Amino acid sequence: DPLILRAERQVFQATDLLFWPSEWLKSNADALYGLDPARSLVVPWGANIADPGPPKTPPRLAKAEPLHLLVLGRDWFAKGGPAAFETMERLRALGHDARLTVIGCTPPAFHRNAHVTVHPHLDNSRPDERATFDACLKSAHFMVMASFESYGFAFCEASAHGLPSLCLNVGGVPVRDGVNGHVIAAEGDPQVAFTALVIGYLENPAAYGALRATTRKEYETRLNWRAWGNTVRDRLIAARTGMG
């Protein structure tokens, strides 16, 4: 609606600072509303969880040991569950003992087998279920989520546990390629790219260890609410000083 768009443009252009959670949202807003890039800033949101702390014993990635993949979300198809299942199947066909854990939903029968563990719902307010949730994230090697997100808090949670994510380069996914996981083009078959990435790390476990370290660092410095608050505070103080 042109009237609404004009009103929105007036409000946003008159605002001193705008904080967007993702580069995707910022770039679209800048273009739509004609915003000044110096006043339109990206400050990622954070995982709304108690900090689990750095992993004491990160899972070892080795060809002769089980390989754990994870899907976290309420809608199997919206979260790209089929691509995660197919990634597991491809890895198994290549001789790796890949397994998939699903939290938050129940895949259809044709996406379940003896290598898939399902937790349809875990209530994090219950200590026993929270412990199960944390154990799943701590033991997984990769979170595999070929989903379209306006903002993906699950990726922040994974980063808190040092768990790298494999995802699509879309929307507000808070994953930086090579830092806390890998993002691939949305076109094509993501399971092929995901499988290749996992195989690459199986061939180079040291690189996987480094990826886990930077994944946790990403949570500590960017993907938690304290970091968000500190950045916003600093920006507000700087802007106020500049106006004075």
Side-chain angles (χ1 to χ4, degrees):
D1 187 299
L3 292 176
I4 293 175
L5 179 61
R6 184 162 61 249
E8 289 176 335
R9 184 176 287 115
Q10 289 173 347
V11 170
F12 286 135
Q13 288 183 352
T15 301
D16 295 314
L17 286 174
L18 294 155
F19 299 105
W20 309 101
S22 69
E23 183 60 42
W24 168 76
L25 192 54
K26 167 188 158 53
S27 60
N28 279 277
D30 286 355
L32 181 62
Y33 301 117
L35 302 179
D36 178 359
R39 296 191 295 160
S40 178
L41 310 173
V42 176
V43 185
W45 290 339
N48 188 24
I49 58 174
D51 186 352
K56 294 180 180 179
T57 54
R60 195 166 75 99
L61 189 66
K63 294 180 181 179
E65 297 181 10
L67 171 64
H68 295 281
L69 308 177
L70 176 72
V71 170
L72 178 59
R74 296 180 181 178
D75 187 316
W76 172 250
F77 290 98
K79 294 300 179 181
F85 180 83
E86 181 61 28
T87 299
M88 179 196 74
E89 293 287 81
R90 285 173 172 270
L91 289 166
R92 295 194 67 82
L94 293 171
H96 302 289
D97 185 13
R99 306 174 187 185
L100 178 64
T101 297
V102 181
I103 298 176
C105 61
T106 301
F110 53 85
H111 284 151
R112 300 198 308 268
N113 57 32
H115 313 297
V116 178
T117 299
V118 179
H119 300 283
H121 174 73
L122 291 176
D123 184 349
N124 285 336
S125 67
R126 297 172 57 94
D128 57 334
E129 296 188 21
R130 178 75 209 194
T132 298
F133 178 87
D134 287 340
C136 290
L137 269 71
K138 288 177 181 177
S139 62
H141 293 96
F142 294 96
M143 187 167 79
V144 184
M145 301 266 281
S147 55
F148 290 77
E149 306 278 355
S150 58
Y151 195 80
F153 286 104
F155 298 99
C156 301
E157 290 184 271
S159 294
H161 289 270
L163 173 61
S165 300
L166 305 180
C167 60
L168 302 180
N169 187 19
V170 295
V173 174
V175 176
R176 293 197 293 166
D177 195 53
V179 178
N180 58 330
H182 290 281
V183 294
I184 66 165
E187 298 77 24
D189 298 318
Q191 58 268 22
V192 175
F194 291 160
T195 300
L197 285 165
V198 173
I199 293 297
Y201 282 110
L202 282 167
E203 298 289 343
N204 190 351
Y208 176 72
L211 180 65
R212 287 195 69 96
T214 56
T215 295
R216 169 63 192 183
K217 192 69 174 178
E218 186 75 350
Y219 167 76
E220 293 174 351
T221 58
R222 299 181 78 240
L223 300 182
N224 68 81
W225 283 116
R226 183 178 296 275
W228 183 91
N230 288 340
T231 301
V232 169
R233 179 200 60 196
D234 292 345
R235 292 289 191 175
L236 292 173
I237 291 173
R240 177 94 178 171
T241 302
M243 293 174 186

